[in-house]
Amino acid sequence: MDWKLLLIGALMAVVGALIVFRFRKSNFNRELGPGCLVAGGLLLLLTGVLSAVLSFLVKV
């Protein structure tokens, strides 16, 4: 288990979830900014989850 990868993955997942949660009720038809932030937050969230899972598979 690689603890640094787990820590970075968890941090990315938390930040991404906070961004998605904050802008979840925005009007995406009228404003461009919140949609871009939600897309970036989803990328952070999914990358963080994948990193956290891969941290258990890596042998140090």
Side-chain angles (χ1 to χ4, degrees):
M1 183 172 109
D2 189 10
W3 65 272
K4 292 176 282 195
L5 187 60
L6 179 63
L7 181 68
I8 292 169
L11 183 65
M12 287 173 61
V14 167
V15 170
L18 287 175
I19 291 172
V20 170
F21 184 75
R22 165 64 181 89
F23 292 102
R24 72 186 185 282
K25 291 187 178 180
S26 297
N27 186 3
F28 300 122
N29 293 331
R30 292 182 182 212
E31 301 169 352
L32 184 61
C36 293
L37 283 172
V38 169
L42 284 173
L43 285 172
L44 272 174
L45 178 64
L46 294 174
T47 305
V49 168
L50 284 174
S51 297
V53 168
L54 285 176
S55 72
F56 290 107
L57 300 174
V58 173
K59 303 269 183 183
V60 177

